[in-house]
Structure formats: structure tokens, C-alpha cells
Amino acid sequence: MEKKNFLKKKSLNLKIWNIGNFLSYKKTNIIICGAGSIGIRHAKNLISLDYKNIIFFTKRKKIVIGNLKFKTFSNLNEALYLYKPKIALITNETSKHIKIAIECSKI
């Protein structure tokens, strides 16, 4: 309940995207925050839709899916500054979602 009130009080630049929005952004940078099973599954889905500009914010040093290697960052601000992604997928631990979403909305 408190999280809903928090989001209403803050004016965040967050958007809900549908598949039509994603199809027009094939060349944009995408950051996936979290490289657990959900993050990897989302990356595989994006790859199958022909997205290539995917980076990860994770503690992992190396991520390889099929024959594709992905750039990883352990520092979110560095990833956001260097790549300026237009799309962020928040797939890390649920308790960190709001903090990460707020940081991603600042770019």
C-alpha cells in the first residue's frame, strides 16, 4: 500500500509499453537490470524479435546467450551514462525494483 502512495506522490517519467512500442525501437539501447532466469528469458525473447543492442546491469562478469556476448555493468549509473538506454527491463530482486526504476527514469 505504501509503495502505491509513493509512486503517486512522485512524478516519474515511467511508461507502460506494449509490443507495438517495442517494434519501433529495434535499434535503441536496452538495459536489463538483473541477469537471473527472468532477465535471461527476456533477453532471449528480445533476441528472437531481432533486438541486438542489449546491455545488462548485474553482478555477473560475463553473459553469453547462444553465440552472442553481452556487455555487463556492475554500476547502474555508469551503464546509463555510457549507453543512454531508452528501454529498461527491471528483472532483479523485487525489493530493488522501485530504486532501480527511479534511477532509470532519470536518463
Side-chain angles (χ1 to χ4, degrees):
M1 193 74 164
E2 188 175 306
K3 287 182 183 178
K4 287 183 180 178
N5 291 335
F6 172 79
L7 289 175
K8 286 181 182 176
K9 290 178 185 176
K10 294 284 185 178
S11 175
L12 300 178
N13 185 20
L14 301 177
K15 295 181 181 178
I16 305 299
W17 293 88
N18 63 34
I19 194 66
N21 297 121
F22 279 113
L23 294 176
S24 64
Y25 277 87
K26 289 215 182 227
K27 295 188 179 194
T28 194
N29 292 335
I30 300 171
I31 186 167
I32 299 178
C33 301
S37 62
I38 302 296
I40 298 299
R41 185 181 317 152
H42 284 312
K44 287 178 180 179
N45 290 337
L46 289 168
I47 293 165
S48 73
L49 292 171
D50 226 14
Y51 288 87
K52 302 286 188 259
N53 301 335
I54 302 168
I55 61 171
F56 282 87
F57 165 58
T58 181
K59 295 176 188 172
R60 293 187 189 191
K61 300 289 183 204
K62 183 169 96 171
I63 296 179
V64 178
I65 300 174
N67 62 350
L68 299 174
K69 295 180 183 178
F70 294 92
K71 181 80 175 155
T72 63
F73 290 88
S74 59
N75 182 308
L76 180 60
N77 289 324
E78 180 183 6
L80 296 175
Y81 176 76
L82 291 175
Y83 281 82
K84 296 177 180 36
K86 297 285 185 200
I87 300 170
L89 302 177
I90 315 296
T91 64
N92 60 350
E93 299 89 353
T94 306
S95 62
K96 298 178 182 178
H97 282 185
I98 291 178
K99 180 181 176 187
I100 299 296
I102 290 170
E103 288 302 312
C104 290
S105 73
K106 292 178 181 177
I107 57 168

